[in-house]
Amino acid sequence: MLQLRDFQNVCPDDLTAALALQVYNDLKRDERCGHLQPHYDDDLKVFYLRKEDTQAAYIPLIHTKGIHFSLVEAMQDKFGKNNIFLAIVDNTGNILYYQVTEGFSEKKF
């Protein structure tokens, strides 16, 4: 079982580490998501959780921060079109999971 320090060793900042721990604790209750490990991609500058034997990546985000479409597209290229999950944590501790699928694009006016 991972602890906060395990995330702090990988995460670029303490807020991301705390969010990641919260998401990890929520996901570890689901057997399909067990054995998640923290990862940081230096090229993309993104932290994510990933189960080693799958391509699924869970990106913890705080609800007040914007989501950059270029990052989502780069993650889709790396892990596949249907394997990216945004884990958005709000100020009450609730976590909303969004699976990003193929065809995800920025709204154009």
Side-chain angles (χ1 to χ4, degrees), residues 30-96:
D30 184 344
E31 290 178 13
R32 295 171 293 171
C33 297
H35 306 292
L36 291 167
Q37 292 296 315
H39 296 274
Y40 183 77
D41 188 307
D42 284 320
D43 295 331
L44 299 176
K45 304 290 186 233
V46 65
F47 174 85
Y48 57 93
L49 295 165
R50 187 168 76 89
K51 188 175 175 185
E52 294 302 323
D53 60 346
T54 68
Q55 286 295 311
Y58 295 86
I59 305 170
L61 300 167
I62 191 156
H63 74 285
T64 57
K65 200 169 191 181
I67 300 167
H68 298 281
F69 290 93
S70 58
L71 170 64
V72 172
E73 289 173 347
M75 292 294 288
Q76 284 179 322
D77 290 341
K78 183 172 183 162
F79 292 108
K81 297 290 183 192
N82 297 318
N83 294 318
I84 306 300
F85 297 86
L86 303 178
I88 302 174
V89 182
D90 73 10
N91 58 343
T92 65
N94 290 322
I95 305 170
L96 297 173

